[in-house]
Coordinates of all heavy atoms in Angstrom, one line a residue:
M862 N 70.5 -10.5 89.3 CA 69.9 -9.6 88.4 C 69.8 -10.2 87.0 O 70.7 -10.9 86.6 CB 70.7 -8.3 88.3 CG 70.3 -7.2 89.3 SD 68.6 -7.0 89.3 CE 68.5 -5.2 89.4
P863 N 68.7 -9.9 86.3 CA 68.6 -10.4 84.9 C 69.5 -9.8 83.9 O 70.1 -8.7 84.2 CB 67.1 -10.2 84.6 CG 66.7 -9.0 85.5 CD 67.6 -9.0 86.7
Y864 N 69.6 -10.4 82.8 CA 70.4 -9.8 81.7 C 69.5 -9.4 80.5 O 68.5 -9.9 80.3 CB 71.4 -10.8 81.2 CG 72.4 -11.2 82.3 CD1 72.2 -12.2 83.2 CD2 73.6 -10.4 82.4 CE1 73.2 -12.4 84.2 CE2 74.6 -10.7 83.3 CZ 74.3 -11.7 84.3 OH 75.2 -12.0 85.2
C865 N 70.1 -8.4 79.8 CA 69.3 -7.9 78.7 C 69.2 -8.9 77.6 O 70.2 -9.6 77.2 CB 70.1 -6.7 78.1 SG 69.3 -6.0 76.7
R866 N 68.0 -9.0 77.0 CA 67.8 -10.0 76.0 C 68.3 -9.6 74.6 O 68.5 -10.4 73.7 CB 66.3 -10.4 75.9 CG 65.5 -9.3 75.1 CD 64.1 -9.9 74.9 NE 63.2 -9.6 76.0 CZ 62.1 -8.8 76.0 NH1 61.8 -8.2 74.9 NH2 61.4 -8.7 77.0
E867 N 68.6 -8.3 74.5 CA 69.2 -7.8 73.3 C 70.7 -7.8 73.2 O 71.3 -8.3 72.2 CB 68.7 -6.3 73.1 CG 67.2 -6.2 72.8 CD 66.8 -6.9 71.5 OE1 67.7 -6.9 70.5 OE2 65.7 -7.4 71.4
C868 N 71.3 -7.3 74.3 CA 72.8 -7.2 74.2 C 73.5 -8.0 75.3 O 74.7 -8.1 75.3 CB 73.2 -5.7 74.3 SG 72.9 -5.0 75.9
G869 N 72.8 -8.6 76.3 CA 73.4 -9.4 77.3 C 74.0 -8.7 78.4 O 74.6 -9.3 79.3
A870 N 73.8 -7.3 78.5 CA 74.4 -6.6 79.6 C 73.5 -6.8 80.8 O 72.3 -7.2 80.7 CB 74.5 -5.1 79.2
K871 N 74.1 -6.5 82.0 CA 73.3 -6.7 83.2 C 72.3 -5.5 83.4 O 72.7 -4.4 83.2 CB 74.3 -6.6 84.4 CG 73.9 -7.7 85.4 CD 75.1 -7.7 86.5 CE 74.9 -9.0 87.3 NZ 76.0 -9.1 88.2
I872 N 71.1 -5.9 83.6 CA 70.1 -4.8 83.7 C 70.1 -4.2 85.1 O 70.2 -4.9 86.1 CB 68.7 -5.5 83.4 CG1 68.6 -5.9 81.9 CG2 67.6 -4.5 83.7 CD1 67.5 -6.8 81.6
I873 N 69.9 -2.9 85.2 CA 69.9 -2.2 86.5 C 68.5 -1.6 86.7 O 67.8 -1.3 85.8 CB 71.0 -1.2 86.6 CG1 70.9 -0.2 85.4 CG2 72.3 -1.8 86.7 CD1 71.8 1.0 85.5
Y874 N 68.2 -1.5 88.0 CA 66.9 -1.0 88.4 C 67.0 0.5 88.5 O 67.9 1.1 89.1 CB 66.4 -1.6 89.7 CG 65.1 -1.2 90.1 CD1 64.0 -1.6 89.4 CD2 64.9 -0.4 91.3 CE1 62.7 -1.2 89.7 CE2 63.6 0.0 91.6 CZ 62.5 -0.4 90.9 OH 61.2 0.0 91.2
D875 N 66.0 1.2 87.8 CA 66.0 2.6 87.9 C 64.8 3.0 88.8 O 63.6 2.8 88.5 CB 65.7 3.2 86.5 CG 65.8 4.7 86.5 OD1 65.8 5.3 87.6 OD2 65.9 5.3 85.4
R876 N 65.2 3.6 90.0 CA 64.2 4.0 91.0 C 63.2 5.1 90.5 O 62.1 5.1 90.8 CB 64.9 4.5 92.2 CG 65.1 3.5 93.3 CD 66.0 4.1 94.3 NE 67.1 3.2 94.7 CZ 67.1 2.7 95.9 NH1 66.3 3.0 96.8 NH2 68.1 1.8 96.2
N877 N 63.8 6.0 89.6 CA 62.9 7.1 89.2 C 61.8 6.6 88.3 O 60.7 7.1 88.5 CB 63.8 8.1 88.4 CG 64.9 8.7 89.3 OD1 64.7 8.9 90.4 ND2 66.1 8.8 88.7
T878 N 62.1 5.7 87.4 CA 61.0 5.3 86.5 C 60.4 4.0 87.0 O 59.5 3.5 86.4 CB 61.6 5.1 85.1 OG1 62.7 4.1 85.1 CG2 62.1 6.4 84.5
R879 N 60.9 3.4 88.1 CA 60.5 2.1 88.6 C 60.5 1.0 87.5 O 59.5 0.2 87.4 CB 59.1 2.3 89.2 CG 59.1 3.0 90.5 CD 57.7 2.9 91.1 NE 57.7 3.6 92.4 CZ 56.5 3.9 93.0 NH1 55.4 3.5 92.5 NH2 56.6 4.5 94.2
S880 N 61.5 1.0 86.7 CA 61.6 0.0 85.7 C 63.1 -0.4 85.6 O 63.9 0.2 86.2 CB 61.1 0.5 84.4 OG 61.8 1.7 84.0
Y881 N 63.3 -1.4 84.9 CA 64.7 -1.9 84.7 C 65.2 -1.4 83.4 O 64.6 -1.4 82.4 CB 64.7 -3.4 84.7 CG 64.3 -4.0 86.1 CD1 63.0 -4.1 86.4 CD2 65.3 -4.3 87.0 CE1 62.6 -4.6 87.7 CE2 64.9 -4.8 88.2 CZ 63.6 -4.9 88.6 OH 63.2 -5.4 89.8
V882 N 66.5 -0.9 83.4 CA 67.1 -0.3 82.2 C 68.4 -1.0 81.9 O 69.1 -1.3 82.8 CB 67.4 1.2 82.5 CG1 67.9 1.8 81.2 CG2 66.1 1.9 82.9
C883 N 68.6 -1.2 80.6 CA 69.8 -1.8 80.2 C 70.8 -0.7 79.9 O 70.6 0.1 79.1 CB 69.6 -2.7 78.9 SG 71.2 -3.2 78.2
P884 N 72.0 -0.8 80.6 CA 73.0 0.3 80.4 C 73.7 0.1 79.1 O 74.3 1.0 78.6 CB 74.0 0.1 81.6 CG 73.8 -1.3 82.0 CD 72.4 -1.7 81.6
G885 N 73.6 -1.1 78.5 CA 74.3 -1.4 77.2 C 73.5 -0.7 76.0 O 74.1 0.0 75.2
C886 N 72.2 -1.0 75.9 CA 71.5 -0.6 74.7 C 70.4 0.3 75.1 O 69.7 0.8 74.2 CB 71.0 -1.8 73.9 SG 69.8 -2.8 74.8
G887 N 70.1 0.6 76.4 CA 69.1 1.5 76.7 C 67.7 0.9 76.7 O 66.7 1.7 76.9
L888 N 67.5 -0.3 76.5 CA 66.2 -1.0 76.5 C 65.6 -0.9 77.9 O 66.3 -1.1 78.9 CB 66.4 -2.4 76.1 CG 65.2 -3.1 75.3 CD1 65.0 -2.4 74.0 CD2 65.4 -4.5 75.2
I889 N 64.3 -0.7 78.0 CA 63.7 -0.6 79.3 C 62.7 -1.8 79.5 O 62.0 -2.1 78.6 CB 62.8 0.7 79.4 CG1 63.8 1.9 79.4 CG2 62.0 0.8 80.6 CD1 63.1 3.3 79.1
Y890 N 62.9 -2.4 80.6 CA 62.0 -3.5 81.0 C 61.1 -3.2 82.1 O 61.6 -2.6 83.1 CB 62.9 -4.7 81.4 CG 63.8 -5.3 80.3 CD1 65.0 -4.7 80.0 CD2 63.3 -6.3 79.5 CE1 65.8 -5.2 79.1 CE2 64.1 -6.9 78.5 CZ 65.4 -6.3 78.3 OH 66.2 -6.8 77.3
T891 N 59.9 -3.6 82.1 CA 59.0 -3.5 83.2 C 59.2 -4.8 84.0 O 59.6 -5.8 83.4 CB 57.6 -3.4 82.8 OG1 57.2 -4.5 82.0 CG2 57.4 -2.1 81.9
P892 N 58.8 -4.8 85.3 CA 58.9 -6.0 86.1 C 58.1 -7.2 85.4 O 58.5 -8.3 85.4 CB 58.3 -5.7 87.4 CG 58.6 -4.2 87.5 CD 58.5 -3.7 86.1
Q893 N 57.0 -6.8 84.8 CA 56.2 -7.9 84.1 C 56.9 -8.5 83.0 O 56.8 -9.7 82.7 CB 54.9 -7.2 83.6 CG 53.9 -6.9 84.7 CD 54.0 -5.5 85.2 OE1 55.1 -5.0 85.3 NE2 52.9 -4.9 85.4
D894 N 57.7 -7.6 82.2 CA 58.5 -8.1 81.1 C 59.5 -9.2 81.6 O 59.7 -10.2 81.0 CB 59.3 -7.0 80.5 CG 58.5 -6.2 79.5 OD1 57.4 -6.6 79.1 OD2 58.9 -5.0 79.3
L895 N 60.1 -8.8 82.8 CA 61.2 -9.7 83.3 C 60.6 -11.0 83.7 O 61.1 -12.1 83.5 CB 61.9 -9.0 84.4 CG 62.7 -7.8 84.0 CD1 63.3 -7.2 85.2 CD2 63.8 -8.2 83.0
I896 N 59.4 -11.0 84.4 CA 58.8 -12.2 84.8 C 58.4 -13.1 83.7 O 58.6 -14.3 83.6 CB 57.5 -11.9 85.7 CG1 58.0 -11.2 87.0 CG2 56.7 -13.1 86.0 CD1 56.8 -10.5 87.8
A897 N 57.8 -12.4 82.6 CA 57.4 -13.2 81.4 C 58.7 -13.8 80.8 O 58.6 -14.9 80.3 CB 56.7 -12.2 80.5
D898 N 59.7 -13.0 80.7 CA 61.0 -13.5 80.1 C 61.5 -14.7 80.9 O 61.9 -15.7 80.3 CB 62.1 -12.5 80.1 CG 62.1 -11.7 78.8 OD1 61.1 -11.8 78.1 OD2 63.1 -11.1 78.6
A899 N 61.5 -14.6 82.2 CA 62.0 -15.7 83.1 C 61.2 -17.0 82.9 O 61.7 -18.1 82.7 CB 62.0 -15.3 84.5
R900 N 59.9 -16.8 82.8 CA 59.0 -17.9 82.6 C 59.2 -18.6 81.3 O 59.3 -19.8 81.2 CB 57.5 -17.4 82.7 CG 56.6 -18.5 83.1 CD 55.2 -18.0 83.5 NE 55.3 -17.2 84.7 CZ 54.4 -16.3 85.1 NH1 53.4 -16.0 84.3 NH2 54.4 -15.7 86.2
R901 N 59.4 -17.7 80.3 CA 59.7 -18.3 78.9 C 61.0 -19.0 78.9 O 61.1 -20.1 78.3 CB 59.8 -17.1 77.9 CG 58.6 -17.2 76.9 CD 58.9 -16.3 75.7 NE 59.4 -15.0 76.1 CZ 58.6 -13.9 76.3 NH1 57.3 -14.0 76.1 NH2 59.0 -12.8 76.6
G902 N 62.0 -18.5 79.6 CA 63.3 -19.1 79.7 C 63.2 -20.5 80.3 O 63.8 -21.5 79.8
I903 N 62.4 -20.6 81.4 CA 62.3 -21.8 82.1 C 61.6 -22.9 81.2 O 62.0 -24.0 81.1 CB 61.5 -21.6 83.4 CG1 62.4 -20.9 84.4 CG2 61.1 -23.0 84.0 CD1 61.6 -20.3 85.6
E904 N 60.5 -22.4 80.6 CA 59.8 -23.3 79.7 C 60.6 -23.8 78.5 O 60.6 -24.9 78.2 CB 58.5 -22.6 79.2 CG 57.4 -22.7 80.1 CD 56.2 -21.7 79.8 OE1 56.2 -21.2 78.6 OE2 55.4 -21.5 80.6
A905 N 61.4 -22.9 78.0 CA 62.3 -23.3 76.9 C 63.3 -24.3 77.3 O 63.6 -25.2 76.6 CB 63.0 -22.0 76.3
G906 N 63.8 -24.1 78.5 CA 64.8 -25.0 79.1 C 64.2 -26.4 79.3 O 64.8 -27.4 79.0
L907 N 63.0 -26.4 79.8 CA 62.3 -27.7 80.1 C 62.0 -28.4 78.8 O 62.2 -29.6 78.7 CB 61.0 -27.4 80.8 CG 61.1 -27.1 82.3 CD1 59.7 -26.8 82.9 CD2 61.8 -28.2 83.1
E908 N 61.6 -27.6 77.8 CA 61.3 -28.2 76.5 C 62.6 -28.8 75.9 O 62.5 -29.9 75.3 CB 60.8 -27.1 75.6 CG 59.8 -27.6 74.6 CD 59.1 -26.5 73.8 OE1 58.3 -25.8 74.4 OE2 59.5 -26.2 72.7
A909 N 63.7 -28.1 76.0 CA 64.9 -28.7 75.4 C 65.3 -29.9 76.2 O 65.8 -30.9 75.5 CB 66.0 -27.6 75.6
E910 N 65.2 -30.0 77.5 CA 65.4 -31.2 78.3 C 64.6 -32.3 77.8 O 65.1 -33.4 77.6 CB 65.1 -30.9 79.7 CG 66.2 -30.7 80.7 CD 67.5 -31.5 80.5 OE1 67.5 -32.7 80.7 OE2 68.4 -30.9 80.0
E911 N 63.3 -32.0 77.6 CA 62.4 -33.1 77.2 C 62.7 -33.6 75.8 O 62.7 -34.8 75.6 CB 61.0 -32.5 77.3 CG 59.8 -33.4 76.8 CD 59.7 -34.6 77.7 OE1 60.0 -34.5 78.9 OE2 59.3 -35.7 77.2
K912 N 63.1 -32.7 75.0 CA 63.5 -33.1 73.6 C 64.7 -34.0 73.6 O 64.7 -35.0 72.9 CB 63.7 -31.9 72.8 CG 62.8 -31.7 71.6 CD 63.1 -30.5 70.8 CE 61.8 -29.7 70.6 NZ 62.1 -28.3 70.2
K913 N 65.6 -33.7 74.5 CA 66.9 -34.5 74.6 C 66.5 -35.9 75.1 O 67.0 -36.8 74.6 CB 67.8 -33.7 75.6 CG 69.2 -33.7 75.1 CD 70.2 -33.1 76.1 CE 70.1 -31.6 76.2 NZ 70.7 -31.1 77.4
R914 N 65.6 -35.9 76.1 CA 65.3 -37.2 76.7 C 64.6 -38.0 75.7 O 64.8 -39.2 75.6 CB 64.4 -36.9 77.9 CG 64.6 -37.9 79.0 CD 63.8 -37.5 80.2 NE 64.2 -36.2 80.8 CZ 63.4 -35.3 81.3 NH1 62.1 -35.6 81.4 NH2 63.8 -34.2 81.8
R915 N 63.7 -37.4 74.9 CA 62.9 -38.2 73.9 C 63.9 -38.7 72.8 O 63.7 -39.8 72.4 CB 61.9 -37.2 73.3 CG 60.6 -38.0 73.0 CD 59.5 -37.0 72.5 NE 59.2 -36.0 73.5 CZ 58.8 -34.8 73.2 NH1 58.6 -34.4 71.9 NH2 58.5 -33.9 74.1
K916 N 64.8 -37.9 72.4 CA 65.8 -38.3 71.4 C 66.6 -39.5 71.9 O 66.8 -40.5 71.2 CB 66.7 -37.2 71.1 CG 67.2 -37.1 69.7 CD 67.9 -35.9 69.4 CE 67.8 -35.5 67.9 NZ 68.5 -34.2 67.6
Y917 N 67.0 -39.5 73.2 CA 67.7 -40.6 73.7 C 66.9 -41.8 73.8 O 67.4 -42.9 73.5 CB 68.2 -40.1 75.1 CG 69.1 -41.2 75.8 CD1 70.4 -41.5 75.2 CD2 68.7 -41.8 76.9 CE1 71.1 -42.4 75.8 CE2 69.5 -42.8 77.5 CZ 70.7 -43.1 77.0 OH 71.5 -44.0 77.6
A918 N 65.6 -41.7 74.2 CA 64.7 -42.8 74.3 C 64.6 -43.4 72.9 O 64.6 -44.7 72.8 CB 63.4 -42.4 74.9
E919 N 64.4 -42.6 71.9 CA 64.3 -43.1 70.5 C 65.5 -43.8 70.1 O 65.4 -44.8 69.5 CB 64.0 -41.9 69.6 CG 62.5 -41.6 69.3 CD 62.4 -40.3 68.7 OE1 63.2 -39.9 67.9 OE2 61.3 -39.6 68.9
Y920 N 66.6 -43.2 70.4 CA 67.9 -43.9 70.1 C 68.0 -45.2 70.7 O 68.4 -46.2 70.1 CB 69.0 -42.9 70.5 CG 70.4 -43.6 70.3 CD1 71.0 -43.7 69.0 CD2 71.1 -44.1 71.4 CE1 72.2 -44.3 68.9 CE2 72.3 -44.7 71.3 CZ 72.9 -44.8 70.0 OH 74.1 -45.4 69.9
L921 N 67.7 -45.3 72.0 CA 67.8 -46.6 72.7 C 66.9 -47.6 72.1 O 67.3 -48.8 71.9 CB 67.3 -46.3 74.2 CG 68.4 -46.1 75.2 CD1 67.8 -46.1 76.6 CD2 69.5 -47.2 75.1
E922 N 65.7 -47.1 71.7 CA 64.7 -48.0 71.1 C 65.2 -48.6 69.8 O 65.2 -49.8 69.5 CB 63.4 -47.2 70.8 CG 62.2 -48.1 70.9 CD 61.0 -47.2 70.9 OE1 60.7 -46.6 71.9 OE2 60.3 -47.2 69.8
W923 N 65.8 -47.7 69.0 CA 66.4 -48.0 67.7 C 67.5 -49.0 67.9 O 67.7 -50.0 67.3 CB 66.9 -46.8 67.0 CG 67.7 -47.1 65.8 CD1 67.3 -47.5 64.6 CD2 69.2 -47.1 65.8 NE1 68.4 -47.7 63.8 CE2 69.6 -47.5 64.5 CE3 70.2 -46.9 66.7 CZ2 70.9 -47.7 64.1 CZ3 71.5 -47.0 66.4 CH2 71.8 -47.4 65.1
W924 N 68.4 -48.7 68.9 CA 69.6 -49.5 69.2 C 69.2 -50.9 69.6 O 69.7 -51.9 69.1 CB 70.4 -48.8 70.3 CG 71.8 -49.4 70.4 CD1 72.8 -49.1 69.6 CD2 72.2 -50.3 71.4 NE1 73.9 -49.9 70.0 CE2 73.6 -50.6 71.1 CE3 71.6 -51.0 72.5 CZ2 74.3 -51.4 71.9 CZ3 72.3 -51.8 73.2 CH2 73.7 -52.1 72.9
T925 N 68.2 -51.0 70.5 CA 67.8 -52.3 71.0 C 67.1 -53.1 69.9 O 67.2 -54.3 69.9 CB 66.9 -52.2 72.3 OG1 65.9 -51.3 72.0 CG2 67.7 -51.8 73.5
S926 N 66.3 -52.4 69.1 CA 65.6 -53.2 68.0 C 66.5 -53.6 66.9 O 66.3 -54.6 66.3 CB 64.5 -52.3 67.5 OG 65.0 -51.2 66.8
S927 N 67.6 -52.8 66.7 CA 68.5 -53.2 65.6 C 69.4 -54.4 66.1 O 70.1 -55.0 65.3 CB 69.3 -52.0 65.2 OG 70.2 -51.7 66.2
K928 N 69.5 -54.6 67.4 CA 70.3 -55.7 67.9 C 69.7 -57.0 67.8 O 70.3 -58.0 68.0 CB 70.7 -55.4 69.3 CG 71.7 -54.3 69.5 CD 73.1 -54.9 69.4 CE 74.1 -53.7 69.2 NZ 75.5 -54.2 68.9
K929 N 68.4 -57.0 67.6 CA 67.6 -58.3 67.6 C 68.1 -59.2 66.5 O 68.3 -58.8 65.4 CB 66.1 -58.0 67.5 CG 65.5 -57.9 68.9 CD 64.0 -57.4 68.7 CE 63.6 -56.7 69.9 NZ 62.4 -56.0 69.7
Ligands
ZN851 ZN1 70.8 -4.2 76.3

């Protein structure tokens, strides 16, 4: 189950409204919201990975060039 983006509580599915509700702060999520959130999270994670990799590559480049 996903977690609330506001308070971090576990979101529960409400059969009556067919939406996801946060028991912590009462925020309501539609399934589309959750999919969009998950996609954003994955993209943000990939971007962070890529940034890390680029930084390391830059560092390596700097390190090898400074050793010359
Ligand atoms: Zn919440």
Side-chain angles (χ1 to χ4, degrees):
M862 272 312 226
Y864 292 89
C865 178
R866 77 169 86 113
E867 290 299 327
C868 69
K871 222 172 197 176
I872 293 164
I873 50 167
Y874 184 66
D875 186 349
R876 264 169 225 248
N877 297 323
T878 57
R879 285 191 181 167
S880 54
Y881 294 85
V882 184
C883 171
C886 65
L888 210 67
I889 293 165
Y890 294 87
T891 62
Q893 287 94 321
D894 279 343
L895 294 177
I896 291 165
D898 264 18
R900 203 168 290 159
R901 247 196 311 268
I903 290 165
E904 274 167 16
L907 287 178
E908 211 171 285
E910 253 328 282
E911 179 63 31
K912 240 177 232 168
K913 223 184 284 166
R914 213 172 300 144
R915 215 173 302 152
K916 213 171 206 177
Y917 183 65
E919 265 168 33
Y920 171 75
L921 265 186
E922 211 170 286
W923 167 82
W924 193 79
T925 47
S926 64
S927 69
K928 284 274 168 190
K929 265 173 210 168

